[in-house]
Amino acid sequence: MALPKRIIKETERLMSEPVPGISAVPHEDNLRYFDVTIDGPASSPYEGGKFRAELFLPDDYPMTPPKIRFLTKIYHPNIDKLGRICLDVLKSNWSPALQIRTILLSIQALLGAPNPDDPLANDVAQRWKENEPAAIQTAREWTKTHAMA
Amino acid sequence: MPLPHHRANITYPQNAGRAQGFECPFKDCGMEHSTADCSIDVTLNKMVEVVKVQMAHSASNSANIPLRLDERLNMRNLIDTSIDVMPRSRVLHGSRIVSAFTMADMGELDYSSELSFTPLDPDLEETIKSLDVALAGDLREIIRGECECQVCYGLMVDPLTTACGHTFCRKCVARVLDHSTLCPACRRPLPMRPGATTEPSNKRMSHAIEGLLTDELAARIVAVEQEETLHEDGWMPLFPCTLAYPAMPTFLHIFEPRYRLMIRRVLESGSRKFGIIMYNARGVPQGSLGRSVFMQYGTVLHISRIEVLPDGRSILETHGLYRFRALESSMLDGYIIGRIQRIDDMPLAEEEAAEALETRGPVPVGDNHEARISHMSTQALLQYNLDFVARARTRSERWLHDSMLTAYGQPPTDPAIFPYWFASILPIAEDEKYLLLPTTSVRERLKMTARWIRVLEEARCARIRVMRLARPLELEVDEDEASQQDDDDSTVSTAEPETPEAAETADAQPATANSPQAFPSDQSQQQQ
Ligand SMILES: [Zn+2]
Ligand SMILES: [Zn+2]
Ligand SMILES: [Zn+2]
């Protein structure tokens, strides 16, 4: 099927006006599939890390949200072992007026502000609530091990 | 804005502001509008804002150019010719566009008037011309920026403004409504019918786009038409099988090779959509289709999940999108394709008017059920239906089996959707349920389901009376035995008092019978 104009435009804009600290590059053989890299935000336990993710635009996009998954291991209360992300705008709060750019910015913001009260990774959230400094230390170590090549 | 008044007897839709209305002050309209349909036009205001900024910028660049503007009145548009209107004449500064804008901004330029311009310094003629050419280009560009649809990222085609004041292409709003009832820009509820076919276009935006971006608009329209012929609203594969409804799931088992091909093509095209239709078992004429083998009204389904079994059969989980009427049909590689026309509900204004009219008079006396339900407000009709479901639940009726609720969800509180849910699980004749498809009034659909309830309850009472007379002590046992029976020929309208249980139990097998574990229903959704 021909690629909708909207996806072509979004891709062009992502290329011509990239978001600082975020890159999203479509696959040549599947323009709905993007390789994503998100830099860990400054003064967060993820600072200095480069986190890889995959993003897929379903047939119904933008009526349904993009599907995104972290590929790099990350210690975060809202991201589970499989890299799935718990973020309202990727689910019930999606709106067709949102776009790849805004979604990736929301994810970057989520790295800067973990929310253990709305967890996806329960064990991580538990630890985050019980002993925040230790959890942050673990997140920092994971960043060093997995996200700094 | 004129003072609002209370709109009597309107309960649906139940959005804030719909109970308040006002008489439209525009002479060519004069209708009553609900205040909920009224707000600031966000997109147009933004456009005016950026144009003002640009004008102010240009004005500061051409402040040293004095220009005389002479108004030429358009006599045809003068409503009251008895008033002696004098054409205005002003000396303003700036190029033609800038000074005309200034005059309009001062409130001194009639919408239908024309202007003639005379530079006070004839040597500046060329300068003015080149300033205007550059400004026109800039204006076109910034207006173009505001005329981009936030859904498709293209120039708006047939701009439609929502009640919350946001503007998108009409087609884009229709697409959004297939998935959600919230505005994409602000997430406020959209008081609109699926399809968005009856709301008026935004005339000002249309004029701006048609006038300033003529070529781009023409190219967009061609592109949209091409996209559409590739997709839907034209010819669509039709699968003759069962009744299905918008907003409801339908589970299908595909095993015939021709239908496997059909489903594969639907998936490969990316549309994931096909129409589902019922067989025309009685050979009743079907509009422009004549005595076709299938019924003319159906529902477009979207494949949400597919499980392909190792032997090539597949199990589909689908979701009903919208109703359609087939206008003509043909065959393609063994399966039916049809040219379809989408069916949407009547405009809200008509729906509200019907409710206000029917519920206006005094409450009918006596036991005339039809008069009673006609007099009920739309919300009361919904409540009447919901109460029946609640009573059936306390009686643990078979058709309200847990597996049915798992598959179809709890009874919807949206009056437009409730009848589809009810028909999906209620075991009555398909012929009767089919009549929901061509009905374009929410109120009428609720009245139909209310009539079903009446027949079912009468049948139930009759049965209990008969059984009380015969074996009063074994009533409970009897009821259970009765519901074991199965009678496919019964319909609500023909349910006879002597076999009343038939109406209540036809098709009412537990939803999980014979169906694969993952798909908790088989209520006649198997491929024929
Ligand atoms: Zn009006
Ligand atoms: Zn659009
Ligand atoms: Zn809005």
Side-chain angles (χ1 to χ4, degrees):
Chain A
M1 191 178 55
L3 208 60
K5 190 189 172 90
R6 152 134 185 183
I7 297 182
I8 298 170
K9 276 210 168 172
E10 272 203 63
T11 309
E12 280 170 6
R13 284 181 201 172
L14 278 169
M15 299 297 133
S16 61
E17 310 153 37
V19 195
I22 293 175
S23 87
V25 185
H27 274 210
E28 251 168 53
D29 55 345
N30 183 355
L31 296 170
R32 286 175 177 270
Y33 187 91
F34 291 72
D35 288 321
V36 173
T37 317
I38 299 177
D39 293 353
S43 61
S44 80
Y46 312 100
E47 185 172 5
K50 279 201 179 300
F51 296 88
R52 289 196 314 115
E54 56 180 1
L55 181 149
F56 181 71
L57 303 175
D59 289 331
D60 267 355
Y61 181 82
M63 295 303 139
T64 54
K67 297 188 186 310
I68 310 181
R69 196 169 70 96
F70 272 99
L71 297 171
T72 306
K73 270 181 74 126
I74 180 164
Y75 193 80
H76 190 290
N78 310 103
I79 301 166
D80 74 1
K81 284 196 190 71
L82 299 172
R84 292 175 301 191
I85 304 158
C86 179
L87 190 62
D88 60 343
V89 286
L90 285 174
K91 301 198 167 72
S92 54
N93 268 343
W94 169 254
S95 147
L98 295 170
Q99 43 172 312
I100 301 173
R101 173 189 300 271
T102 45
I103 284 298
L104 293 179
L105 280 168
S106 306
I107 294 174
Q108 198 179 39
L110 185 70
L111 294 189
N115 179 7
D117 293 324
D118 185 18
L120 194 63
N122 269 311
D123 47 335
V124 180
Q126 195 62 30
R127 183 124 178 278
W128 215 278
K129 279 199 261 190
E130 282 165 12
N131 189 348
E132 194 173 328
I136 288 176
Q137 187 50 39
T138 309
R140 216 172 256 136
E141 279 159 18
W142 281 40
T143 304
K144 201 170 270 173
T145 322
H146 304 291
M148 297 186 194
Chain B
M1 205 166 109
L3 273 181
H5 59 255
H6 180 71
R7 300 169 82 208
N9 301 331
I10 286 168
T11 68
Y12 170 82
Q14 246 180 346
N15 293 327
R18 292 215 78 86
Q20 295 279 306
F22 62 93
E23 307 295 331
C24 183
F26 291 104
K27 288 217 170 57
D28 53 349
C29 178
M31 305 251 296
E32 182 195 56
H33 298 305
S34 106
T35 44
D37 285 342
C38 251
S39 72
I40 288 167
D41 186 328
V42 177
T43 315
L44 190 65
N45 263 4
K46 180 85 192 302
M47 197 198 290
V48 171
E49 227 27 70
V50 294
V51 167
K52 270 190 183 160
V53 170
Q54 175 66 42
M55 288 296 187
H57 176 75
S58 301
S60 65
N61 285 346
S62 56
N64 52 352
I65 302 172
L67 199 63
R68 199 180 77 232
L69 289 80
D70 292 301
E71 185 183 22
R72 279 185 292 160
L73 294 170
N74 188 335
M75 297 309 283
R76 269 180 318 177
N77 289 322
L78 285 180
I79 297 159
D80 190 352
T81 44
S82 63
I83 301 171
D84 202 11
V85 189
M86 284 299 292
R88 298 179 179 102
S89 181
R90 292 278 177 277
V91 173
L92 296 165
H93 291 264
S95 68
R96 285 182 175 84
I97 298 175
V98 170
S99 55
F101 183 85
T102 310
M103 192 164 166
D105 206 28
M106 289 159 62
E108 299 212 336
L109 186 56
D110 228 57
Y111 186 72
S112 55
S113 294
E114 308 224 346
L115 283 174
S116 65
F117 303 87
T118 320
L120 296 192
D121 179 353
D123 293 345
L124 288 174
E125 184 78 56
E126 282 308 305
T127 318
I128 292 172
K129 204 174 256 173
S130 62
L131 278 172
D132 273 335
V133 168
L135 177 55
D138 289 348
L139 282 175
R140 186 171 292 133
E141 191 122 310
I142 59 168
I143 289 174
R144 169 67 183 84
E146 301 306 319
C147 291
E148 181 162 292
C149 168
Q150 276 192 71
V151 172
C152 66
Y153 283 25
L155 179 64
M156 286 177 195
V157 176
D158 194 0
L160 190 159
T161 302
T162 62
C164 44
H166 294 109
T167 307
F168 311 93
C169 311
R170 181 180 300 274
K171 290 253 154 71
C172 289
V173 174
R175 263 191 88 191
V176 167
L177 289 170
D178 286 340
H179 293 259
S180 155
T181 54
L182 303 181
C183 169
C186 67
R187 294 200 177 94
R188 269 177 280 207
L190 295 170
M192 277 179 170
R193 289 319 174 71
T197 45
T198 55
E199 284 72 16
S201 307
N202 187 325
K203 275 193 211 157
R204 300 258 152 115
M205 296 277 295
S206 296
H207 289 164
I209 294 169
E210 283 159 19
L212 288 165
L213 305 157
T214 320
D215 297 346
E216 193 186 347
L217 179 66
R220 269 286 287 154
I221 290 171
V222 171
V224 168
E225 273 166 11
Q226 275 172 354
E227 261 171 50
E228 247 157 47
T229 49
L230 284 176
H231 288 288
E232 49 213 83
D233 291 347
W235 288 83
M236 182 167 283
L238 300 182
F239 182 46
C241 179
T242 177
L243 255 183
Y245 297 103
M248 291 293 128
T250 302
F251 305 92
L252 297 163
H253 181 191
I254 307 287
F255 49 85
E256 269 189 69
R258 55 184 171 150
Y259 294 123
R260 285 196 228 162
L261 171 69
M262 182 192 98
I263 294 300
R264 206 167 49 247
R265 284 186 177 157
V266 160
L267 291 171
E268 278 166 5
S269 75
S271 85
R272 297 177 84 92
K273 292 182 194 123
F274 63 92
I276 192 157
I277 43 182
M278 239 168 85
Y279 280 107
N280 183 8
R282 294 172 199 213
V284 182
Q286 295 297 310
S288 57
L289 297 174
R291 261 177 230 285
S292 75
V293 294
F294 60 88
M295 308 291 275
Q296 60 181 328
Y297 290 97
T299 301
V300 170
L301 300 182
H302 179 263
I303 302 172
S304 41
R305 215 150 69 84
I306 178 165
E307 190 179 319
V308 182
L309 305 174
D311 60 4
R313 289 180 299 141
S314 56
I315 294 155
L316 299 185
E317 190 180 325
T318 67
H319 177 79
L321 292 180
Y322 54 88
R323 298 166 291 161
F324 66 83
R325 182 176 161 203
L327 302 175
E328 55 179 313
S329 73
S330 173
M331 296 297 282
L332 178 68
D333 300 325
Y335 59 84
I336 304 167
I337 54 171
R339 191 163 65 78
I340 64 165
Q341 180 186 43
R342 180 175 169 141
I343 304 280
D344 284 303
D345 282 343
M346 59 172 61
L348 281 182
E350 272 177 46
E351 181 85 53
E352 290 173 337
E355 180 181 10
L357 184 73
E358 290 183 22
T359 58
R360 202 163 45 187
V363 182
V365 285
D367 194 31
N368 184 339
H369 187 254
E370 194 54 39
R372 261 198 15 233
I373 60 172
S374 279
H375 193 271
M376 283 186 194
S377 73
T378 304
Q379 291 296 340
L381 275 168
L382 174 71
Q383 201 50 53
Y384 177 84
N385 281 278
L386 289 171
D387 289 347
F388 173 76
V389 173
R391 281 199 303 279
R393 201 173 258 183
T394 57
R395 293 195 299 256
S396 309
E397 300 252 2
R398 239 159 212 280
W399 56 271
L400 261 177
H401 195 273
D402 279 351
S403 57
M404 283 307 222
L405 296 178
T406 311
Y408 295 97
Q410 295 297 320
T413 51
D414 180 344
I417 307 295
F418 174 85
Y420 300 143
W421 176 88
F422 197 44
S424 297
I425 67 169
L426 195 70
I428 62 163
E430 302 271 285
D431 286 7
E432 196 71 32
K433 295 182 185 178
Y434 173 77
L435 298 175
L436 287 179
L437 291 183
T439 306
T440 57
S441 153
V442 170
R443 207 174 146 69
E444 287 306 320
R445 285 201 294 275
L446 287 170
K447 286 203 250 174
M448 287 168 76
T449 54
R451 284 182 207 115
W452 300 348
I453 289 173
R454 157 85 161 181
V455 175
L456 290 171
E457 296 222 303
E458 277 187 345
R460 198 183 128 77
C461 291
R463 190 178 71 218
I464 290 172
R465 269 202 307 277
V466 167
M467 286 185 292
R468 283 227 170 100
L469 288 171
R471 287 173 291 168
L473 294 172
E474 292 169 76
L475 180 67
E476 291 301 306
V477 181
D478 244 277
E479 255 194 302
D480 261 327
E481 274 171 12
S483 56
Q484 304 282 327
Q485 293 181 20
D486 212 281
D487 184 352
D488 282 326
D489 292 332
S490 69
T491 70
V492 159
S493 45
T494 61
E496 299 291 332
E498 53 266 29
T499 57
E501 62 278 6
E504 220 172 308
T505 58
D507 296 341
Q509 296 115 18
T512 43
N514 306 325
S515 71
Q517 281 181 329
F519 296 83
S521 168
D522 81 329
Q523 204 202 11
S524 72
Q525 280 106 358
Q526 299 270 317
Q527 185 185 323
Q528 316 266 305

